[in-house]
mmCIF file with all atom_site columns, all heavy atoms in Angstrom:
data_model
loop_
_atom_site.group_PDB
_atom_site.id
_atom_site.type_symbol
_atom_site.label_atom_id
_atom_site.label_alt_id
_atom_site.label_comp_id
_atom_site.label_asym_id
_atom_site.label_entity_id
_atom_site.label_seq_id
_atom_site.pdbx_PDB_ins_code
_atom_site.Cartn_x
_atom_site.Cartn_y
_atom_site.Cartn_z
_atom_site.occupancy
_atom_site.B_iso_or_equiv
_atom_site.pdbx_formal_charge
_atom_site.auth_seq_id
_atom_site.auth_comp_id
_atom_site.auth_asym_id
_atom_site.auth_atom_id
_atom_site.pdbx_PDB_model_num
ATOM 1   N N   . PHE L 1 214 ? 78.774 31.886 -31.307 1.00 0.00 ? 214 PHE L N   1
ATOM 2   C CA  . PHE L 1 214 ? 79.234 31.434 -30.022 1.00 0.00 ? 214 PHE L CA  1
ATOM 3   C C   . PHE L 1 214 ? 78.050 31.052 -29.097 1.00 0.00 ? 214 PHE L C   1
ATOM 4   O O   . PHE L 1 214 ? 78.034 29.999 -28.502 1.00 0.00 ? 214 PHE L O   1
ATOM 5   C CB  . PHE L 1 214 ? 80.049 32.525 -29.286 1.00 0.00 ? 214 PHE L CB  1
ATOM 6   C CG  . PHE L 1 214 ? 81.450 32.732 -29.832 1.00 0.00 ? 214 PHE L CG  1
ATOM 7   C CD1 . PHE L 1 214 ? 82.172 33.879 -29.515 1.00 0.00 ? 214 PHE L CD1 1
ATOM 8   C CD2 . PHE L 1 214 ? 82.054 31.769 -30.599 1.00 0.00 ? 214 PHE L CD2 1
ATOM 9   C CE1 . PHE L 1 214 ? 83.442 34.080 -30.006 1.00 0.00 ? 214 PHE L CE1 1
ATOM 10  C CE2 . PHE L 1 214 ? 83.387 31.957 -31.077 1.00 0.00 ? 214 PHE L CE2 1
ATOM 11  C CZ  . PHE L 1 214 ? 84.032 33.113 -30.823 1.00 0.00 ? 214 PHE L CZ  1
ATOM 12  N N   . GLU L 1 215 ? 77.111 31.996 -29.015 1.00 0.00 ? 215 GLU L N   1
ATOM 13  C CA  . GLU L 1 215 ? 76.031 31.807 -28.052 1.00 0.00 ? 215 GLU L CA  1
ATOM 14  C C   . GLU L 1 215 ? 75.089 30.644 -28.500 1.00 0.00 ? 215 GLU L C   1
ATOM 15  O O   . GLU L 1 215 ? 74.520 29.951 -27.644 1.00 0.00 ? 215 GLU L O   1
ATOM 16  C CB  . GLU L 1 215 ? 75.323 33.076 -27.846 1.00 0.00 ? 215 GLU L CB  1
ATOM 17  C CG  . GLU L 1 215 ? 76.202 34.142 -27.166 1.00 0.00 ? 215 GLU L CG  1
ATOM 18  C CD  . GLU L 1 215 ? 75.556 35.424 -26.892 1.00 0.00 ? 215 GLU L CD  1
ATOM 19  O OE1 . GLU L 1 215 ? 74.425 35.718 -27.389 1.00 0.00 ? 215 GLU L OE1 1
ATOM 20  O OE2 . GLU L 1 215 ? 76.116 36.281 -26.132 1.00 0.00 ? 215 GLU L OE2 1
ATOM 21  N N   . ASP L 1 216 ? 74.882 30.580 -29.790 1.00 0.00 ? 216 ASP L N   1
ATOM 22  C CA  . ASP L 1 216 ? 73.959 29.506 -30.241 1.00 0.00 ? 216 ASP L CA  1
ATOM 23  C C   . ASP L 1 216 ? 74.570 28.087 -30.155 1.00 0.00 ? 216 ASP L C   1
ATOM 24  O O   . ASP L 1 216 ? 73.876 27.081 -30.281 1.00 0.00 ? 216 ASP L O   1
ATOM 25  C CB  . ASP L 1 216 ? 73.535 29.763 -31.702 1.00 0.00 ? 216 ASP L CB  1
ATOM 26  C CG  . ASP L 1 216 ? 72.551 30.872 -31.840 1.00 0.00 ? 216 ASP L CG  1
ATOM 27  O OD1 . ASP L 1 216 ? 71.951 31.259 -30.754 1.00 0.00 ? 216 ASP L OD1 1
ATOM 28  O OD2 . ASP L 1 216 ? 72.308 31.396 -32.890 1.00 0.00 ? 216 ASP L OD2 1
ATOM 29  N N   . PHE L 1 217 ? 75.899 28.001 -29.865 1.00 0.00 ? 217 PHE L N   1
ATOM 30  C CA  . PHE L 1 217 ? 76.559 26.726 -29.729 1.00 0.00 ? 217 PHE L CA  1
ATOM 31  C C   . PHE L 1 217 ? 76.775 26.409 -28.238 1.00 0.00 ? 217 PHE L C   1
ATOM 32  O O   . PHE L 1 217 ? 77.097 25.303 -27.857 1.00 0.00 ? 217 PHE L O   1
ATOM 33  C CB  . PHE L 1 217 ? 77.942 26.707 -30.409 1.00 0.00 ? 217 PHE L CB  1
ATOM 34  C CG  . PHE L 1 217 ? 77.764 26.788 -31.937 1.00 0.00 ? 217 PHE L CG  1
ATOM 35  C CD1 . PHE L 1 217 ? 78.750 27.457 -32.651 1.00 0.00 ? 217 PHE L CD1 1
ATOM 36  C CD2 . PHE L 1 217 ? 76.732 26.265 -32.603 1.00 0.00 ? 217 PHE L CD2 1
ATOM 37  C CE1 . PHE L 1 217 ? 78.665 27.599 -33.999 1.00 0.00 ? 217 PHE L CE1 1
ATOM 38  C CE2 . PHE L 1 217 ? 76.651 26.372 -33.980 1.00 0.00 ? 217 PHE L CE2 1
ATOM 39  C CZ  . PHE L 1 217 ? 77.604 27.018 -34.682 1.00 0.00 ? 217 PHE L CZ  1
ATOM 40  N N   . THR L 1 218 ? 76.561 27.434 -27.335 1.00 0.00 ? 218 THR L N   1
ATOM 41  C CA  . THR L 1 218 ? 76.895 27.212 -25.966 1.00 0.00 ? 218 THR L CA  1
ATOM 42  C C   . THR L 1 218 ? 75.810 27.678 -24.966 1.00 0.00 ? 218 THR L C   1
ATOM 43  O O   . THR L 1 218 ? 75.727 27.148 -23.868 1.00 0.00 ? 218 THR L O   1
ATOM 44  C CB  . THR L 1 218 ? 78.153 27.953 -25.569 1.00 0.00 ? 218 THR L CB  1
ATOM 45  O OG1 . THR L 1 218 ? 77.919 29.381 -25.678 1.00 0.00 ? 218 THR L OG1 1
ATOM 46  C CG2 . THR L 1 218 ? 79.328 27.616 -26.525 1.00 0.00 ? 218 THR L CG2 1
ATOM 47  N N   . GLY L 1 219 ? 74.950 28.601 -25.379 1.00 0.00 ? 219 GLY L N   1
ATOM 48  C CA  . GLY L 1 219 ? 74.032 29.226 -24.427 1.00 0.00 ? 219 GLY L CA  1
ATOM 49  C C   . GLY L 1 219 ? 74.718 30.198 -23.550 1.00 0.00 ? 219 GLY L C   1
ATOM 50  O O   . GLY L 1 219 ? 74.172 30.698 -22.552 1.00 0.00 ? 219 GLY L O   1
ATOM 51  N N   . GLY L 1 220 ? 76.016 30.537 -23.784 1.00 0.00 ? 220 GLY L N   1
ATOM 52  C CA  . GLY L 1 220 ? 76.755 31.485 -22.958 1.00 0.00 ? 220 GLY L CA  1
ATOM 53  C C   . GLY L 1 220 ? 76.394 32.891 -23.245 1.00 0.00 ? 220 GLY L C   1
ATOM 54  O O   . GLY L 1 220 ? 75.455 33.220 -24.002 1.00 0.00 ? 220 GLY L O   1
ATOM 55  N N   . VAL L 1 221 ? 77.185 33.824 -22.647 1.00 0.00 ? 221 VAL L N   1
ATOM 56  C CA  . VAL L 1 221 ? 76.961 35.253 -22.894 1.00 0.00 ? 221 VAL L CA  1
ATOM 57  C C   . VAL L 1 221 ? 78.316 35.842 -23.309 1.00 0.00 ? 221 VAL L C   1
ATOM 58  O O   . VAL L 1 221 ? 79.328 35.469 -22.759 1.00 0.00 ? 221 VAL L O   1
ATOM 59  C CB  . VAL L 1 221 ? 76.390 35.930 -21.641 1.00 0.00 ? 221 VAL L CB  1
ATOM 60  C CG1 . VAL L 1 221 ? 77.412 35.905 -20.503 1.00 0.00 ? 221 VAL L CG1 1
ATOM 61  C CG2 . VAL L 1 221 ? 76.032 37.400 -21.983 1.00 0.00 ? 221 VAL L CG2 1
ATOM 62  N N   . THR L 1 222 ? 78.267 36.798 -24.242 1.00 0.00 ? 222 THR L N   1
ATOM 63  C CA  . THR L 1 222 ? 79.439 37.383 -24.789 1.00 0.00 ? 222 THR L CA  1
ATOM 64  C C   . THR L 1 222 ? 79.749 38.767 -24.234 1.00 0.00 ? 222 THR L C   1
ATOM 65  O O   . THR L 1 222 ? 78.840 39.550 -24.089 1.00 0.00 ? 222 THR L O   1
ATOM 66  C CB  . THR L 1 222 ? 79.358 37.475 -26.319 1.00 0.00 ? 222 THR L CB  1
ATOM 67  O OG1 . THR L 1 222 ? 79.050 36.156 -26.829 1.00 0.00 ? 222 THR L OG1 1
ATOM 68  C CG2 . THR L 1 222 ? 80.571 38.030 -26.945 1.00 0.00 ? 222 THR L CG2 1
ATOM 69  N N   . GLU L 1 223 ? 81.020 39.053 -23.969 1.00 0.00 ? 223 GLU L N   1
ATOM 70  C CA  . GLU L 1 223 ? 81.489 40.347 -23.587 1.00 0.00 ? 223 GLU L CA  1
ATOM 71  C C   . GLU L 1 223 ? 82.404 40.828 -24.719 1.00 0.00 ? 223 GLU L C   1
ATOM 72  O O   . GLU L 1 223 ? 83.188 40.080 -25.284 1.00 0.00 ? 223 GLU L O   1
ATOM 73  C CB  . GLU L 1 223 ? 82.203 40.295 -22.277 1.00 0.00 ? 223 GLU L CB  1
ATOM 74  C CG  . GLU L 1 223 ? 81.333 40.011 -21.123 1.00 0.00 ? 223 GLU L CG  1
ATOM 75  C CD  . GLU L 1 223 ? 82.039 40.152 -19.788 1.00 0.00 ? 223 GLU L CD  1
ATOM 76  O OE1 . GLU L 1 223 ? 82.743 39.239 -19.358 1.00 0.00 ? 223 GLU L OE1 1
ATOM 77  O OE2 . GLU L 1 223 ? 81.885 41.212 -19.179 1.00 0.00 ? 223 GLU L OE2 1
ATOM 78  N N   . TRP L 1 224 ? 82.363 42.121 -24.980 1.00 0.00 ? 224 TRP L N   1
ATOM 79  C CA  . TRP L 1 224 ? 83.109 42.723 -26.083 1.00 0.00 ? 224 TRP L CA  1
ATOM 80  C C   . TRP L 1 224 ? 84.185 43.665 -25.558 1.00 0.00 ? 224 TRP L C   1
ATOM 81  O O   . TRP L 1 224 ? 84.023 44.336 -24.495 1.00 0.00 ? 224 TRP L O   1
ATOM 82  C CB  . TRP L 1 224 ? 82.179 43.611 -26.945 1.00 0.00 ? 224 TRP L CB  1
ATOM 83  C CG  . TRP L 1 224 ? 81.159 42.879 -27.663 1.00 0.00 ? 224 TRP L CG  1
ATOM 84  C CD1 . TRP L 1 224 ? 80.255 41.969 -27.198 1.00 0.00 ? 224 TRP L CD1 1
ATOM 85  C CD2 . TRP L 1 224 ? 80.789 43.008 -29.073 1.00 0.00 ? 224 TRP L CD2 1
ATOM 86  N NE1 . TRP L 1 224 ? 79.366 41.504 -28.145 1.00 0.00 ? 224 TRP L NE1 1
ATOM 87  C CE2 . TRP L 1 224 ? 79.714 42.159 -29.311 1.00 0.00 ? 224 TRP L CE2 1
ATOM 88  C CE3 . TRP L 1 224 ? 81.301 43.766 -30.066 1.00 0.00 ? 224 TRP L CE3 1
ATOM 89  C CZ2 . TRP L 1 224 ? 79.149 42.012 -30.540 1.00 0.00 ? 224 TRP L CZ2 1
ATOM 90  C CZ3 . TRP L 1 224 ? 80.728 43.696 -31.339 1.00 0.00 ? 224 TRP L CZ3 1
ATOM 91  C CH2 . TRP L 1 224 ? 79.630 42.835 -31.544 1.00 0.00 ? 224 TRP L CH2 1
ATOM 92  N N   . TYR L 1 225 ? 85.334 43.591 -26.136 1.00 0.00 ? 225 TYR L N   1
ATOM 93  C CA  . TYR L 1 225 ? 86.432 44.487 -25.756 1.00 0.00 ? 225 TYR L CA  1
ATOM 94  C C   . TYR L 1 225 ? 86.811 45.298 -26.986 1.00 0.00 ? 225 TYR L C   1
ATOM 95  O O   . TYR L 1 225 ? 87.247 44.713 -28.023 1.00 0.00 ? 225 TYR L O   1
ATOM 96  C CB  . TYR L 1 225 ? 87.632 43.688 -25.245 1.00 0.00 ? 225 TYR L CB  1
ATOM 97  C CG  . TYR L 1 225 ? 87.394 43.070 -23.891 1.00 0.00 ? 225 TYR L CG  1
ATOM 98  C CD1 . TYR L 1 225 ? 86.886 41.815 -23.767 1.00 0.00 ? 225 TYR L CD1 1
ATOM 99  C CD2 . TYR L 1 225 ? 87.778 43.790 -22.728 1.00 0.00 ? 225 TYR L CD2 1
ATOM 100 C CE1 . TYR L 1 225 ? 86.662 41.242 -22.504 1.00 0.00 ? 225 TYR L CE1 1
ATOM 101 C CE2 . TYR L 1 225 ? 87.541 43.263 -21.499 1.00 0.00 ? 225 TYR L CE2 1
ATOM 102 C CZ  . TYR L 1 225 ? 87.006 41.975 -21.376 1.00 0.00 ? 225 TYR L CZ  1
ATOM 103 O OH  . TYR L 1 225 ? 86.806 41.439 -20.135 1.00 0.00 ? 225 TYR L OH  1
ATOM 104 N N   . GLU L 1 226 ? 86.787 46.628 -26.860 1.00 0.00 ? 226 GLU L N   1
ATOM 105 C CA  . GLU L 1 226 ? 87.327 47.499 -27.922 1.00 0.00 ? 226 GLU L CA  1
ATOM 106 C C   . GLU L 1 226 ? 88.857 47.538 -27.637 1.00 0.00 ? 226 GLU L C   1
ATOM 107 O O   . GLU L 1 226 ? 89.249 47.994 -26.542 1.00 0.00 ? 226 GLU L O   1
ATOM 108 C CB  . GLU L 1 226 ? 86.720 48.838 -27.835 1.00 0.00 ? 226 GLU L CB  1
ATOM 109 C CG  . GLU L 1 226 ? 85.210 48.923 -28.132 1.00 0.00 ? 226 GLU L CG  1
ATOM 110 C CD  . GLU L 1 226 ? 84.908 48.583 -29.578 1.00 0.00 ? 226 GLU L CD  1
ATOM 111 O OE1 . GLU L 1 226 ? 85.833 48.725 -30.401 1.00 0.00 ? 226 GLU L OE1 1
ATOM 112 O OE2 . GLU L 1 226 ? 83.775 48.116 -29.852 1.00 0.00 ? 226 GLU L OE2 1
#
Side-chain angles (χ1 to χ4, degrees):
F214 284 164
E215 294 182 348
D216 285 348
F217 296 145
T218 67
V221 63
T222 302
E223 293 188 277
W224 295 49
Y225 288 90
E226 296 293 337

